[in-house]
């Protein structure tokens, strides 16, 4: 007999029975995981997983912001990342890597479609099944969300769910699950067709209690059900929002191929060294192709097309755009028959209708609704072989999908173009573009780019008559191009507007790109008038530049207000930003990886409100944020600036308290803080995590005496970092200064500059300051008392009366025993 102990529970079982269950499960997992295929099962060749696995990279901390941009945009950002994050092997994702980290129970792994998340799950499972890694885990239990969809309308207990999906575990009992150390893997959350309701759901703590699949998942993730079980969830980023950040202990990211891995892929695939060099060279010459090759599946698509074109006697131009590449991929190399065309258009309908819904996995009923007969062999052969695949799963049911999301987007564009080919191409393009701009997450961006690319006669010719070419005349194309350059997108996100520039590029119109390149070379920002489309192109190029921009001042550009708004995405690749808005983009820049933003100047900005300050403050607490300077306010007397409201002060105070904050300069000039606002801000200043070195002036409302006491108390409790304090233009008066002197007298105070100009001070304040500086003389170098009522017995300061209180400060400047070097009076 063998005793197994887990979480202080002791379970007595037969050693042979236990070993039989575990070994049987390991053998089953090994068979499922040791081989993988590229593309479809029919076209791809089985490959040992261990030969092609790509590592995971850790993402430090966790973000409440979800990256919902189109995945091509995410790839563009990833392509610029310096891989500085600590690499973590797939097998180690549940291991505590530093003293600061707590026990890791729930891990969320993000990654765009086709980048290798499922491969990572297979690698983890295979290593466990082969007895190589994580042998402290009793059972690894993968549960594919695409398979769970098949029983989304059924009721199950957790125990029966495992019996159904892992038949080798039929012998396990409820008490086994509570004793063993288990790992549940929910692969492909983005593929699920059920919603996870974390706010309102039935609480379940018994593994035999019956409920719906989504309720079981929520209770597992929250820890109500099997609180000792480990949970691993994989998802595309846009679907990760379903898991509350409070439920996640670690976030990891699969980033795909690095540049060197891309080249290695093509060298390994082709025995002909010259061919691999030519393919690599061509990919490097096309930015869009090179970026997409971060994804292993896209490398496979590119390899198929370019190998075919380079090894055949073809005089045609090699693909330069994504539309070019996918047009060749769809119909190579044979001519399309009428049956082929009919089948492709039905698949296009499936692609289009489900793209709008956000579905990337399909079931038999989905195919049948689009006129596809799942029993026909044509669905699994011929032209479909390399674009569409079937995966046989449990219950003798099948799951279908395109080999990659981009293939679905391309076929959706082909279908739409075909359906409306007899109508005005300009109207089709305009309507589709506006719909994509309205999308918050840009899920139609690539679809619209393909749609514009398909309007070219060259791409229609490649597709072999699949599309009607009657609307590809030069004058029609020019109308589409002119429409793109003049479209008004002032109601939409500036991030969305960049896709207009990409549509131009897919139509092979290089004019805007060339004009912006010339503009950047000339360096004469204020002379040339930039149109809105120029600004979108400039924002994209600045954002993607290898060189980080020192400063982005939107007012320096000769353009419209809409043009300046379109420039905002460039903040992601600059150090200092002045005069900006659209705070979601700014917050995204602060939390991007890597984040280059160091200074944010929001003075003269009239659009800041509590919600937006909360957004920026939350971004300052993000582990990626490196913001050091925040300036706010402006001489705008017609309204109360945002810091009038105490909730904004709460947000800034929270940022100052965060041990992740890098903020060193906080300038709140010309803001109006009420008493509650000052007190809340002071709670941030007194935090030991606050590392502020410079605090700028604030307009403070009465009662001023008590507020100076709060400020002095906060500064005394955390005095060692502050080097400059500017309280100019506040009605401090003599009692307020006397309270602040308590801070100056603190032996830990290392303040070097104190500005108290225009504070309604008399010679009494001079005496208080002189006394304080004599007791702690070593640090203060500059004291500004300008524009105050500094008089003594009716005689003005410039008379330098011997023995006056003002004269006491002048003596400190002249005395070498004291550090005061400059006195502004």
């Amino acid at each position: 007999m063998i005793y197994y102990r887990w979480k202080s529970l002791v379970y007595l079982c037969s050693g042979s029975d236990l070993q039989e269950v575990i070994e049987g499960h390991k053998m089953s997992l090994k068979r499922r995981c040791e081989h993988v295929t590229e593309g479809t099962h029919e076209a791809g060749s089985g490959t040992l997983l261990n030969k092609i696995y790509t590592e995971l990279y850790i993402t430090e901390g966790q973000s409440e912001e979800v990256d919902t941009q189109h995945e091509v945009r995410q790839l563009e950002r990833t392509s610029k990342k310096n891989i500085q994050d600590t690499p973590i092997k797939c097998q180690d994702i549940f291991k505590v890597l530093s003293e600061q980290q707590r026990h890791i129970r729930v891990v969320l792994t993000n990654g765009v479609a086709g980048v290798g998340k499922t491969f990572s799950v297979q690698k983890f499972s295979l290593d466990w099944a082969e007895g190589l890694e994580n042998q402290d885990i009793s059972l690894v239990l993968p549960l594919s969300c695409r398979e769970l969809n098949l029983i989304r309308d059924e009721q199950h207990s957790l125990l029966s769910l495992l019996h159904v999906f892992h038949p080798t575990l039929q012998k396990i009992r409820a008490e086994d699950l509570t004793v063993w150390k288990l790992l549940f893997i929910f692969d492909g959350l983005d593929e699920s067709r059920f919603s996870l309701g974390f706010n309102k759901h039935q609480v379940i703590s018994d593994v035999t209690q019956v409920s719906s699949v989504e309720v079981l998942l929520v209770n597992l993730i929250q820890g109500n059900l099997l609180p000792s079980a480990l949970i691993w969830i994989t998802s595309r980023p846009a679907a990760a929002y379903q898991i509350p950040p409070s439920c996640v202990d670690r976030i990891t990211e699969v980033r795909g191929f690095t540049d060197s891995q891309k080249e290695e892929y093509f060298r390994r695939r082709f025995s002909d060294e010259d061919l691999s060099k030519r393919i690599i060279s061509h990919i490097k010459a096309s930015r869009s192709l090179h970026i997409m090759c971060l994804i292993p599946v896209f490398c496979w698509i590119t390899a198929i097309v370019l190998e075919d074109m380079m090894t055949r006697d073809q005089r045609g131009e090699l693909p330069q755009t994504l539309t070019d590449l996918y047009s060749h991929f769809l119909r190579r190399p044979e001519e399309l028959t009428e049956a082929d065309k009919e089948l492709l258009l039905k698949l296009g309908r499936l692609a289009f209708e489900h793209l709008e819904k956000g579905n990337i996995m399909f079931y038999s009923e989905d195919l049948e609704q689009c006129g596809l007969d799942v029993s026909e062999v044509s669905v699994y052969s011929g032209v479909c072989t390399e674009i569409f695949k079937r995966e046989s799963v449990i219950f003798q049911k099948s799951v279908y999908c395109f080999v990659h999301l981009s293939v679905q987007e391309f076929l959706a564009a082909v279908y739409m173009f075909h359906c409306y080919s007899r109508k005005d191409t300009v109207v089709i393009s305009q309507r589709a573009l506006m719909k994509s701009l309205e999308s918050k997450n840009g899920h139609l961006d690539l679809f619209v780019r393909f749609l514009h690319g398909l309007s070219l006669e060259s791409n229609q010719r490649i597709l072999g008559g699949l599309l009607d070419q009657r609307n590809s005349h030069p004058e029609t194309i020019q109308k589409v191009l002119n429409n793109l350059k003049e479209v008004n997108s002032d109601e939409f996100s500036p991030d969305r507007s960049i896709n207009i520039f990409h549509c131009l590029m897919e139509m092979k119109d290089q004019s805007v790109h060339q004009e912006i390149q010339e503009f950047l070379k000339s360096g004469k920002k204020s002379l040339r008038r930039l149109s809105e489309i120029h600004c979108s192109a400039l924002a994209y190029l600045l954002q993607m530049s290898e060189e980080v921009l020192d400063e982005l001042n939107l007012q320096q550009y000769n353009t419209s207000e809409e043009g300046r708004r379109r420039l905002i995405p460039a903040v992601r690749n600059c150090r200092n930003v002045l005069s900006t808005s659209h705070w979601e983009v700014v917050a995204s820049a602060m939390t991007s990886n890597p984040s280059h933003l160091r200074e944010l100047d929001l003075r003269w900005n009239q659009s800041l409100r509590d919600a937006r300050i909360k957004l920026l403050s939350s971004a300052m607490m993000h582990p990626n944020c490196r913001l050091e300077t925040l300036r706010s306010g402006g001489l705008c007397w017609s309204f109360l600036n945002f810091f009038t409201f105490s909730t904004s002060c709460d947000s800034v105070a929270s940022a100052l308290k965060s041990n992740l904050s890098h903020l060193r300069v906080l300038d709140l000039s010309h803001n109006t803080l009420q008493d509650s606002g000052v007190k809340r801000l002071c709670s941030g200043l007194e935090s030991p995590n606050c590392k502020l070195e410079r605090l700028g002036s604030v307009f403070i409302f009465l009662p001023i005496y008590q507020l100076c006491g709060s400020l002095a108390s906060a500064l005394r409790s955390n005095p060692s970092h502050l080097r400059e304090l500017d309280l100019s233009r506040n009605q401090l008066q003599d009692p307020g200064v006397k309270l602040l002197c308590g801070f100056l007298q603190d032996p830990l105070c290392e303040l070097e500059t104190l500005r108290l100009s225009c504070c309604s001070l008399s010679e009494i304040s001079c005496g208080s300051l002189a006394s304080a500086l004599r007791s702690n003389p070593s640090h203060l170098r500059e004291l500004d008392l300008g524009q105050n009522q500094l008089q003594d017995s009716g005689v003005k300061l410039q008379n330098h009366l011997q023995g006056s209180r003002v004269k006491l400060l002048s003596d400190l400047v002249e005395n070498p025993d004291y550090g005061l070097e400059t006195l502004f009076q």
Side-chain angles (χ1 to χ4, degrees), residues 194-235:
F194 42 80
S195 57
L196 301 180
F198 280 85
N199 295 326
K200 295 181 180 180
H201 64 83
Q202 178 186 7
V203 176
I204 295 177
S205 58
D206 187 341
V207 297
T208 63
Q209 187 173 349
V210 174
S211 187
S212 63
V213 174
E214 51 260 43
V215 171
L216 292 177
L217 262 62
V218 168
N219 279 278
L220 267 173
I221 294 169
Q222 286 186 328
N224 301 324
L225 189 58
L226 296 181
S228 62
L230 304 178
I231 310 294
W232 186 8
I233 305 162
T234 71
S235 176

Short mmCIF file of all heavy atoms in Angstrom, two decimals, residues 194-235:
data_model
loop_
_atom_site.label_atom_id
_atom_site.label_comp_id
_atom_site.label_asym_id
_atom_site.label_seq_id
_atom_site.Cartn_x
_atom_site.Cartn_y
_atom_site.Cartn_z
N PHE A 194 -18.93 29.80 -25.62
CA PHE A 194 -19.70 30.05 -24.40
C PHE A 194 -19.06 31.23 -23.69
O PHE A 194 -17.89 31.55 -23.87
CB PHE A 194 -19.73 28.82 -23.50
CG PHE A 194 -18.41 28.11 -23.38
CD1 PHE A 194 -17.42 28.56 -22.53
CD2 PHE A 194 -18.17 26.97 -24.12
CE1 PHE A 194 -16.21 27.91 -22.43
CE2 PHE A 194 -16.96 26.31 -24.03
CZ PHE A 194 -15.97 26.78 -23.18
N SER A 195 -19.87 31.92 -22.91
CA SER A 195 -19.38 33.11 -22.20
C SER A 195 -19.14 32.76 -20.74
O SER A 195 -19.91 32.03 -20.12
CB SER A 195 -20.39 34.25 -22.31
OG SER A 195 -21.65 33.84 -21.80
N LEU A 196 -18.05 33.33 -20.21
CA LEU A 196 -17.70 33.06 -18.82
C LEU A 196 -18.21 34.22 -17.95
O LEU A 196 -17.72 35.33 -18.03
CB LEU A 196 -16.17 32.94 -18.68
CG LEU A 196 -15.52 31.84 -19.52
CD1 LEU A 196 -14.02 31.81 -19.29
CD2 LEU A 196 -16.13 30.47 -19.21
N GLY A 197 -19.20 33.92 -17.15
CA GLY A 197 -19.77 34.96 -16.29
C GLY A 197 -19.17 34.93 -14.90
O GLY A 197 -19.63 34.16 -14.04
N PHE A 198 -18.16 35.75 -14.66
CA PHE A 198 -17.47 35.72 -13.37
C PHE A 198 -18.21 36.51 -12.29
O PHE A 198 -17.92 36.35 -11.11
CB PHE A 198 -16.04 36.28 -13.52
CG PHE A 198 -15.07 35.28 -14.08
CD1 PHE A 198 -14.96 35.11 -15.45
CD2 PHE A 198 -14.30 34.50 -13.24
CE1 PHE A 198 -14.08 34.19 -15.98
CE2 PHE A 198 -13.42 33.57 -13.77
CZ PHE A 198 -13.31 33.41 -15.13
N ASN A 199 -19.12 37.37 -12.68
CA ASN A 199 -19.83 38.18 -11.69
C ASN A 199 -21.05 37.46 -11.12
O ASN A 199 -21.31 37.51 -9.91
CB ASN A 199 -20.25 39.52 -12.32
CG ASN A 199 -19.06 40.37 -12.71
OD1 ASN A 199 -18.04 40.33 -12.03
ND2 ASN A 199 -19.18 41.11 -13.79
N LYS A 200 -21.79 36.82 -11.97
CA LYS A 200 -23.00 36.12 -11.51
C LYS A 200 -22.96 34.68 -12.01
O LYS A 200 -23.07 34.43 -13.20
CB LYS A 200 -24.25 36.83 -12.05
CG LYS A 200 -24.45 38.24 -11.51
CD LYS A 200 -25.72 38.86 -12.08
CE LYS A 200 -25.93 40.26 -11.54
NZ LYS A 200 -27.16 40.88 -12.09
N HIS A 201 -22.79 33.78 -11.11
CA HIS A 201 -22.77 32.37 -11.49
C HIS A 201 -23.05 31.52 -10.26
O HIS A 201 -22.93 31.96 -9.12
CB HIS A 201 -21.43 31.99 -12.11
CG HIS A 201 -20.27 32.10 -11.15
ND1 HIS A 201 -19.94 31.12 -10.27
CD2 HIS A 201 -19.38 33.10 -10.95
CE1 HIS A 201 -18.90 31.49 -9.56
NE2 HIS A 201 -18.54 32.68 -9.94
N GLN A 202 -23.39 30.29 -10.50
CA GLN A 202 -23.62 29.32 -9.44
C GLN A 202 -22.27 28.91 -8.84
O GLN A 202 -21.33 28.60 -9.56
CB GLN A 202 -24.31 28.09 -10.03
CG GLN A 202 -24.58 26.97 -9.05
CD GLN A 202 -25.13 25.74 -9.75
OE1 GLN A 202 -25.20 25.70 -10.99
NE2 GLN A 202 -25.54 24.75 -8.98
N VAL A 203 -22.17 28.93 -7.51
CA VAL A 203 -20.93 28.53 -6.84
C VAL A 203 -20.93 27.02 -6.65
O VAL A 203 -21.87 26.45 -6.10
CB VAL A 203 -20.77 29.24 -5.48
CG1 VAL A 203 -19.52 28.72 -4.76
CG2 VAL A 203 -20.70 30.75 -5.68
N ILE A 204 -19.86 26.37 -7.13
CA ILE A 204 -19.75 24.92 -7.06
C ILE A 204 -18.42 24.56 -6.39
O ILE A 204 -17.37 25.08 -6.75
CB ILE A 204 -19.80 24.29 -8.47
CG1 ILE A 204 -21.18 24.53 -9.10
CG2 ILE A 204 -19.49 22.80 -8.43
CD1 ILE A 204 -21.30 24.01 -10.50
N SER A 205 -18.48 23.66 -5.42
CA SER A 205 -17.27 23.21 -4.74
C SER A 205 -17.14 21.69 -4.73
O SER A 205 -16.14 21.17 -4.23
CB SER A 205 -17.25 23.74 -3.30
OG SER A 205 -18.41 23.30 -2.60
N ASP A 206 -18.12 21.00 -5.30
CA ASP A 206 -18.14 19.53 -5.31
C ASP A 206 -17.91 19.04 -6.74
O ASP A 206 -18.63 19.44 -7.66
CB ASP A 206 -19.49 19.04 -4.79
CG ASP A 206 -19.55 17.52 -4.59
OD1 ASP A 206 -18.70 16.82 -5.18
OD2 ASP A 206 -20.44 17.05 -3.88
N VAL A 207 -16.93 18.14 -6.93
CA VAL A 207 -16.60 17.67 -8.27
C VAL A 207 -17.68 16.78 -8.87
O VAL A 207 -17.63 16.45 -10.06
CB VAL A 207 -15.25 16.91 -8.26
CG1 VAL A 207 -14.12 17.83 -7.87
CG2 VAL A 207 -15.33 15.69 -7.37
N THR A 208 -18.66 16.39 -8.06
CA THR A 208 -19.76 15.57 -8.58
C THR A 208 -21.02 16.39 -8.85
O THR A 208 -22.01 15.84 -9.34
CB THR A 208 -20.11 14.45 -7.59
OG1 THR A 208 -20.57 15.04 -6.36
CG2 THR A 208 -18.91 13.56 -7.31
N GLN A 209 -20.97 17.68 -8.54
CA GLN A 209 -22.15 18.53 -8.76
C GLN A 209 -22.28 18.87 -10.24
O GLN A 209 -21.32 19.27 -10.89
CB GLN A 209 -22.03 19.81 -7.93
CG GLN A 209 -23.28 20.68 -7.95
CD GLN A 209 -23.19 21.84 -6.99
OE1 GLN A 209 -22.28 21.90 -6.14
NE2 GLN A 209 -24.11 22.78 -7.09
N VAL A 210 -23.49 18.73 -10.77
CA VAL A 210 -23.73 18.90 -12.20
C VAL A 210 -24.07 20.35 -12.52
O VAL A 210 -24.85 20.99 -11.80
CB VAL A 210 -24.87 17.97 -12.66
CG1 VAL A 210 -25.23 18.26 -14.12
CG2 VAL A 210 -24.46 16.51 -12.50
N SER A 211 -23.50 20.86 -13.62
CA SER A 211 -23.79 22.22 -14.08
C SER A 211 -23.36 22.34 -15.54
O SER A 211 -22.99 21.35 -16.17
CB SER A 211 -23.06 23.24 -13.20
OG SER A 211 -23.47 24.54 -13.56
N SER A 212 -23.41 23.56 -16.07
CA SER A 212 -22.97 23.79 -17.45
C SER A 212 -21.46 23.87 -17.51
O SER A 212 -20.77 24.07 -16.49
CB SER A 212 -23.59 25.08 -17.99
OG SER A 212 -23.11 26.19 -17.24
N VAL A 213 -20.91 23.75 -18.70
CA VAL A 213 -19.46 23.78 -18.89
C VAL A 213 -18.88 25.12 -18.44
O VAL A 213 -17.87 25.16 -17.73
CB VAL A 213 -19.10 23.52 -20.37
CG1 VAL A 213 -17.60 23.71 -20.59
CG2 VAL A 213 -19.53 22.13 -20.79
N GLU A 214 -19.53 26.23 -18.82
CA GLU A 214 -18.97 27.53 -18.46
C GLU A 214 -18.96 27.75 -16.95
O GLU A 214 -18.02 28.35 -16.42
CB GLU A 214 -19.70 28.67 -19.17
CG GLU A 214 -21.21 28.65 -19.03
CD GLU A 214 -21.86 28.06 -20.26
OE1 GLU A 214 -21.39 27.04 -20.78
OE2 GLU A 214 -22.88 28.63 -20.69
N VAL A 215 -19.98 27.26 -16.25
CA VAL A 215 -20.00 27.40 -14.80
C VAL A 215 -18.90 26.58 -14.15
O VAL A 215 -18.24 27.02 -13.20
CB VAL A 215 -21.39 27.00 -14.24
CG1 VAL A 215 -21.35 26.92 -12.71
CG2 VAL A 215 -22.45 28.01 -14.68
N LEU A 216 -18.64 25.39 -14.67
CA LEU A 216 -17.55 24.56 -14.15
C LEU A 216 -16.21 25.26 -14.35
O LEU A 216 -15.36 25.28 -13.44
CB LEU A 216 -17.53 23.21 -14.85
CG LEU A 216 -18.70 22.26 -14.57
CD1 LEU A 216 -18.56 20.99 -15.40
CD2 LEU A 216 -18.78 21.91 -13.09
N LEU A 217 -16.01 25.86 -15.52
CA LEU A 217 -14.75 26.55 -15.81
C LEU A 217 -14.55 27.74 -14.88
O LEU A 217 -13.45 27.94 -14.34
CB LEU A 217 -14.73 27.02 -17.27
CG LEU A 217 -13.99 26.11 -18.25
CD1 LEU A 217 -14.64 24.75 -18.33
CD2 LEU A 217 -13.92 26.75 -19.63
N VAL A 218 -15.58 28.55 -14.70
CA VAL A 218 -15.47 29.72 -13.84
C VAL A 218 -15.12 29.32 -12.41
O VAL A 218 -14.25 29.92 -11.77
CB VAL A 218 -16.78 30.54 -13.86
CG1 VAL A 218 -16.78 31.59 -12.75
CG2 VAL A 218 -16.97 31.21 -15.22
N ASN A 219 -15.75 28.29 -11.90
CA ASN A 219 -15.48 27.85 -10.53
C ASN A 219 -14.08 27.26 -10.38
O ASN A 219 -13.44 27.43 -9.34
CB ASN A 219 -16.54 26.83 -10.09
CG ASN A 219 -17.82 27.50 -9.62
OD1 ASN A 219 -17.94 27.94 -8.48
ND2 ASN A 219 -18.79 27.58 -10.52
N LEU A 220 -13.60 26.60 -11.42
CA LEU A 220 -12.23 26.10 -11.40
C LEU A 220 -11.23 27.25 -11.36
O LEU A 220 -10.27 27.26 -10.59
CB LEU A 220 -11.97 25.22 -12.62
CG LEU A 220 -12.19 23.72 -12.49
CD1 LEU A 220 -12.05 23.05 -13.85
CD2 LEU A 220 -11.22 23.11 -11.49
N ILE A 221 -11.44 28.25 -12.24
CA ILE A 221 -10.52 29.37 -12.34
C ILE A 221 -10.52 30.19 -11.05
O ILE A 221 -9.47 30.62 -10.56
CB ILE A 221 -10.88 30.26 -13.56
CG1 ILE A 221 -10.65 29.47 -14.86
CG2 ILE A 221 -10.06 31.54 -13.56
CD1 ILE A 221 -11.22 30.13 -16.09
N GLN A 222 -11.70 30.41 -10.49
CA GLN A 222 -11.79 31.19 -9.25
C GLN A 222 -11.30 30.44 -8.02
O GLN A 222 -11.03 31.05 -6.99
CB GLN A 222 -13.24 31.64 -9.04
CG GLN A 222 -13.68 32.76 -9.96
CD GLN A 222 -15.06 33.27 -9.63
OE1 GLN A 222 -15.92 32.51 -9.16
NE2 GLN A 222 -15.29 34.55 -9.86
N GLY A 223 -11.19 29.13 -8.11
CA GLY A 223 -10.70 28.35 -6.97
C GLY A 223 -11.79 27.84 -6.06
O GLY A 223 -11.50 27.30 -4.99
N ASN A 224 -13.04 28.01 -6.44
CA ASN A 224 -14.14 27.45 -5.65
C ASN A 224 -14.13 25.92 -5.76
O ASN A 224 -14.42 25.20 -4.81
CB ASN A 224 -15.49 27.98 -6.14
CG ASN A 224 -15.57 29.49 -6.06
OD1 ASN A 224 -15.03 30.09 -5.14
ND2 ASN A 224 -16.22 30.10 -7.03
N LEU A 225 -13.79 25.44 -6.94
CA LEU A 225 -13.76 24.02 -7.24
C LEU A 225 -12.30 23.58 -7.35
O LEU A 225 -11.53 24.16 -8.11
CB LEU A 225 -14.50 23.76 -8.56
CG LEU A 225 -14.79 22.32 -8.97
CD1 LEU A 225 -15.61 21.60 -7.91
CD2 LEU A 225 -15.53 22.32 -10.31
N LEU A 226 -11.90 22.62 -6.52
CA LEU A 226 -10.51 22.15 -6.48
C LEU A 226 -9.52 23.31 -6.36
O LEU A 226 -8.75 23.61 -7.28
CB LEU A 226 -10.19 21.32 -7.73
CG LEU A 226 -10.97 20.02 -7.91
CD1 LEU A 226 -10.51 19.32 -9.19
CD2 LEU A 226 -10.78 19.10 -6.71
N PRO A 227 -9.52 24.01 -5.23
CA PRO A 227 -8.67 25.20 -5.06
C PRO A 227 -7.17 24.91 -5.18
O PRO A 227 -6.38 25.84 -5.41
CB PRO A 227 -9.04 25.70 -3.66
CG PRO A 227 -9.65 24.52 -2.97
CD PRO A 227 -10.34 23.73 -4.03
N SER A 228 -6.75 23.66 -5.03
CA SER A 228 -5.33 23.33 -5.14
C SER A 228 -4.92 23.02 -6.58
O SER A 228 -3.72 22.88 -6.87
CB SER A 228 -5.00 22.13 -4.26
OG SER A 228 -5.73 20.99 -4.67
N ALA A 229 -5.88 22.91 -7.49
CA ALA A 229 -5.57 22.55 -8.88
C ALA A 229 -4.92 23.72 -9.60
O ALA A 229 -5.27 24.89 -9.39
CB ALA A 229 -6.84 22.13 -9.61
N LEU A 230 -3.97 23.41 -10.47
CA LEU A 230 -3.35 24.40 -11.33
C LEU A 230 -4.20 24.58 -12.58
O LEU A 230 -4.79 23.63 -13.08
CB LEU A 230 -1.94 23.97 -11.71
CG LEU A 230 -0.97 23.66 -10.56
CD1 LEU A 230 0.37 23.19 -11.11
CD2 LEU A 230 -0.79 24.88 -9.66
N ILE A 231 -4.22 25.83 -13.11
CA ILE A 231 -5.03 26.14 -14.28
C ILE A 231 -4.14 26.85 -15.30
O ILE A 231 -3.46 27.81 -14.98
CB ILE A 231 -6.22 27.07 -13.95
CG1 ILE A 231 -7.02 26.53 -12.74
CG2 ILE A 231 -7.11 27.25 -15.18
CD1 ILE A 231 -7.73 25.24 -12.98
N TRP A 232 -4.18 26.38 -16.54
CA TRP A 232 -3.46 27.04 -17.63
C TRP A 232 -4.45 27.34 -18.75
O TRP A 232 -5.14 26.44 -19.23
CB TRP A 232 -2.34 26.12 -18.13
CG TRP A 232 -1.43 26.76 -19.16
CD1 TRP A 232 -1.40 28.05 -19.56
CD2 TRP A 232 -0.41 26.09 -19.92
NE1 TRP A 232 -0.44 28.26 -20.50
CE2 TRP A 232 0.19 27.07 -20.75
CE3 TRP A 232 0.04 24.78 -19.97
CZ2 TRP A 232 1.23 26.77 -21.63
CZ3 TRP A 232 1.08 24.46 -20.85
CH2 TRP A 232 1.67 25.45 -21.66
N ILE A 233 -4.53 28.61 -19.14
CA ILE A 233 -5.46 29.05 -20.18
C ILE A 233 -4.67 29.67 -21.31
O ILE A 233 -3.79 30.50 -21.07
CB ILE A 233 -6.45 30.10 -19.62
CG1 ILE A 233 -7.17 29.56 -18.38
CG2 ILE A 233 -7.45 30.53 -20.69
CD1 ILE A 233 -7.81 30.64 -17.54
N THR A 234 -4.94 29.26 -22.54
CA THR A 234 -4.32 29.91 -23.70
C THR A 234 -5.40 30.63 -24.49
O THR A 234 -6.55 30.19 -24.56
CB THR A 234 -3.61 28.91 -24.62
OG1 THR A 234 -4.58 28.11 -25.31
CG2 THR A 234 -2.69 28.00 -23.81
N SER A 235 -5.02 31.75 -25.08
CA SER A 235 -6.01 32.56 -25.79
C SER A 235 -5.32 33.55 -26.71
O SER A 235 -4.19 33.97 -26.47
CB SER A 235 -6.88 33.33 -24.79
OG SER A 235 -7.78 34.19 -25.45
#
